[in-house]
Amino acid sequence: MEFLANSLLELVTQTSTNLPPDVRAAMGLAIAQETPGTQSSQALQVMATNIDMAYQDEGAICQDTGMPTFYVHTPAGVSQIAIKKAILEAVTEATRRGKLRPNSVDSLTGKNSGNNLGTETPVFHFEQWEESEIEIRLILKGGGCENMNIQYSAPCDLERVGRADRNLEGVRKCILHAVWQAQGHGCAPGAIGVCIGSDRAHGYELAKQQLLRTLDDVNPNAELARLEAGIMEEANRIGVGSMGFGGKATLIGCKITAANRLPASFFVSVAYDCWAFRRLGVRLEPASGAITKWLYRDPERKVERMTQAEGFPLTGREVVLTAPLTEEAVRALKVGDVVLISGEMFTGRDAVHAYLMKNAPPVDMRGSVLYHCGPVMLKQGDGWAVKAAGPTTSSREEPYEGEVIRRYGVRAVIGKGGMGANTLAALKECGAVYLNAIGGAAQYYARTMEKVLGVHLLELGIPEAMWHLRVNRFPAIVTMDAHGNSLHAEVLEETGKALAEL
Ligand code: SF4
């Protein structure tokens, strides 16, 4: 199998850097559907630019390259052991080249393996089949959207939609509730895979496998096809919008399957994937391991650009900020303002927040900008290069952020999806803001980073370390201000009302 290693490396690299045509088409529709000039529309433009940048430079579309999950079909006689070994090597090499972020963390010690290999990572699904070729499909699904997966056990009472019974109407309520609860945390517009029935564990698995379908296919079961179309229409009327900013583009796909269940159980399992919907596949010639065909792609069609203009559409009303920030500058900001930040910022996510609860920060954080981000970084000589650096989901830091702001004088927190009441209270009390960056726009934001000034707590692993960066005109939207206002709370309430009226 002389070509196997190259074929697999190409599969991993392409999946991480080049969105498949069906996802591009769905994103194109979302852009066309959104009201121009809105924050949701601005976010979609940044996502489109980011898709182009990632393809052009073969960089990771999003810095969270997810849990690599392989679905492998082999003809009888092909060694699955050899294929698994080759996949592990390809994953290691893709990580070394910065196409994947080191994402495999020991759940007991918290140690990052550094190469994406570890106990039960990557994830493999092997099956034998009667065809003559090998088929390998890969999904890279990040943590932000994975955390938005949800499972319902009907009958159940759901906020805003009421009782969900054990019938298709109950399933419809569960799915719409799933889309609503995700808000912007999973980087909407998203796509969902759903399984009706099965048991808890397999139901989740089957829901995820629905993400292997193309977004434009039609379910062969007429009843499920109707349900999928209905959900698409209704979910896009709730008003969550891209990044949860409020708007028309909330869902780019809904794929549903049904599996038999136990008489006592009725699960509705939902797998939520973000707009950075990375999924590709290849057919391989068994003797050589050479690629005979790409799945999800038309070889006749060249990759088309998503956008002609580049980046964040500016209006001239943006507020230019230079970090470190003063209290006066921050208190002058209000929800809806677009800011362009230049100067210094620090990254800090889960492990840094846990560290700061017990230890003083390794840097002076007074007036600082704290970016919830786990970047892809590559060592270059004595320094580091930023390869991908979009925001991560902020709600995970909700138990800590208020205290971090109060104790250390942070003036701006950047992330995605918004934060809760405790953080909002601290912003008001101390004169700080929460800024929402565009989730998944990892290439776009990496280009605003002029220099890596240093790194602290590197022992926490590359994504969790505290990176000290100098940025130039980093754009973000004020979604929680120092006056007690939160766009996230508003959108949650408004969309909740719309959901109840469906
Ligand atoms: S686009 Fe958002 S949800 Fe998707 S992997 Fe990236 S950060 Fe996570």
Side-chain angles (χ1 to χ4, degrees):
M1 296 245 253
E2 55 178 317
F3 298 115
L4 184 62
N6 271 348
S7 299
L8 292 170
L9 183 56
E10 190 60 9
L11 172 64
V12 176
T13 303
Q14 286 294 309
T15 307
S16 178
T17 62
N18 187 0
L19 275 192
D22 62 310
V23 180
R24 287 165 174 268
M27 284 297 287
L29 282 178
I31 291 168
Q33 192 181 352
E34 198 46 270
T35 311
T38 57
Q39 288 153 349
S40 206
S41 162
Q42 283 176 315
L44 286 165
Q45 288 301 331
V46 172
M47 292 167 188
T49 301
N50 189 73
I51 294 169
D52 288 341
M53 286 173 166
Y55 170 64
Q56 195 182 315
D57 290 357
E58 214 180 61
I61 293 162
C62 177
Q63 77 289 337
D64 186 351
T65 54
M67 175 71 85
T69 303
F70 292 88
Y71 299 88
V72 185
H73 282 88
T74 55
V78 167
S79 165
Q80 294 185 345
I81 294 170
I83 291 180
K84 187 171 183 179
K85 215 171 135 216
I87 288 177
L88 295 179
E89 280 167 16
V91 165
T92 307
E93 180 58 17
T95 311
R96 196 187 64 77
R97 294 185 185 191
K99 309 300 179 190
L100 294 179
R101 185 178 73 180
N103 258 0
S104 176
V105 176
D106 185 309
S107 292
L108 301 182
T109 64
K111 191 168 167 17
N112 192 316
S113 70
N115 60 1
N116 271 309
L117 308 189
T119 308
E120 293 297 323
T121 57
V123 174
F124 291 99
H125 299 273
F126 279 103
E127 217 172 302
Q128 226 175 35
W129 67 355
E130 291 181 347
E131 303 217 14
S132 60
E133 289 189 319
I134 301 164
E135 184 183 278
I136 305 181
R137 294 177 195 238
L138 169 60
I139 291 185
L140 298 174
K141 184 171 180 296
C145 53
E146 186 67 16
N147 291 347
M148 291 299 108
N149 293 355
I150 188 164
Q151 192 170 56
Y152 302 90
S153 176
C156 50
D157 265 310
L158 300 173
E159 195 184 348
R160 309 283 177 159
V161 290
R163 196 181 68 225
D165 296 316
R166 291 184 164 193
N167 53 30
L168 280 189
E169 174 55 14
V171 170
R172 170 188 158 272
K173 287 185 177 181
C174 291
I175 299 173
L176 289 171
H177 182 270
V179 175
W180 174 70
Q181 60 92 40
Q183 291 286 305
H185 303 294
C187 293
I192 49 173
V194 180
C195 174
I196 307 167
S198 192
D199 65 10
R200 278 200 188 272
H202 198 52
Y204 258 138
E205 182 47 45
L206 292 171
K208 193 164 189 178
Q209 282 181 23
Q210 286 298 294
L211 301 174
L212 293 169
R213 288 170 54 194
T214 54
L215 294 180
D216 54 1
D217 76 354
V218 176
N219 199 312
N221 178 309
E223 220 169 2
L224 294 182
R226 267 196 302 280
L227 185 58
E228 288 176 357
I231 294 286
M232 286 300 291
E233 197 269 320
E234 290 191 295
N236 282 319
R237 268 201 279 139
I238 299 173
V240 172
S242 52
M243 295 314 300
F245 290 157
K248 296 178 183 166
T250 301
L251 210 57
I252 55 172
C254 173
K255 303 291 155 189
I256 307 173
T257 191
N260 284 14
R261 61 183 172 83
L262 294 170
S265 307
F266 194 112
F267 296 113
V268 180
S269 311
V270 182
Y272 188 99
D273 209 341
C274 50
W275 68 265
F277 188 119
R278 290 149 291 172
R279 166 260 284 134
L280 275 179
V282 285
R283 287 285 187 108
L284 303 177
E285 205 271 310
S288 66
I291 296 173
T292 60
K293 185 183 168 193
W294 281 91
L295 307 178
Y296 305 106
R297 280 182 176 174
D298 176 357
E300 304 299 314
R301 221 169 134 186
K302 74 181 209 354
V303 177
E304 288 158 19
R305 281 185 70 84
M306 290 290 299
T307 176
Q308 296 316 316
E310 281 231 328
F312 205 99
L314 300 178
T315 61
R317 293 192 300 275
E318 292 75 25
V319 182
V320 177
L321 296 173
T322 305
L325 306 173
T326 63
E327 180 174 352
E328 191 191 4
V330 167
R331 286 207 186 267
L333 296 171
K334 54 189 189 317
V335 162
D337 285 344
V338 174
V339 298
L340 298 172
I341 304 169
S342 296
E344 297 182 18
M345 67 168 66
F346 300 101
T347 66
R349 44 178 282 164
D350 309 66
V352 163
H353 283 77
Y355 180 91
L356 293 178
M357 288 299 98
K358 294 193 192 137
N359 308 279
V363 295
D364 183 354
M365 296 185 80
R366 281 170 298 176
S368 67
V369 177
L370 177 62
Y371 185 22
H372 294 163
C373 170
V376 178
M377 308 293 268
L378 275 192
K379 189 99 181 114
Q380 283 185 350
D382 290 340
W384 291 88
V386 186
K387 304 309 277 184
T392 191
T393 312
S394 298
S395 54
R396 297 194 308 272
E397 316 317 334
E398 180 61 15
Y400 318 110
E401 205 68 87
E403 213 169 323
V404 168
I405 292 167
R406 287 188 186 96
R407 271 200 222 168
Y408 305 123
V410 171
R411 285 268 172 242
V413 175
I414 307 179
K416 71 165 168 93
M419 304 194 74
N422 286 342
T423 302
L424 192 61
L427 298 179
K428 193 171 176 186
E429 185 185 318
C430 305
V433 276
Y434 176 82
L435 307 170
N436 206 118
I438 311 305
Q443 292 302 313
Y444 178 76
Y445 283 114
R447 283 160 177 73
T448 68
M449 290 165 185
E450 291 184 331
K451 191 159 191 227
V452 180
L453 298 170
V455 56
H456 307 272
L457 307 174
L458 190 53
E459 63 276 16
L460 300 175
I462 285 180
E464 297 285 352
M466 190 178 219
W467 295 92
H468 185 186
L469 306 164
R470 190 170 68 220
V471 299
N472 184 23
R473 293 171 72 83
F474 179 112
I477 297 173
V478 179
T479 53
M480 294 166 70
D481 63 24
H483 313 288
N485 303 309
S486 164
L487 177 71
H488 308 284
E490 275 170 39
V491 173
L492 185 70
E493 186 50 34
E494 288 305 310
T495 54
K497 280 188 204 152
L499 178 65
E501 284 166 13
L502 282 178

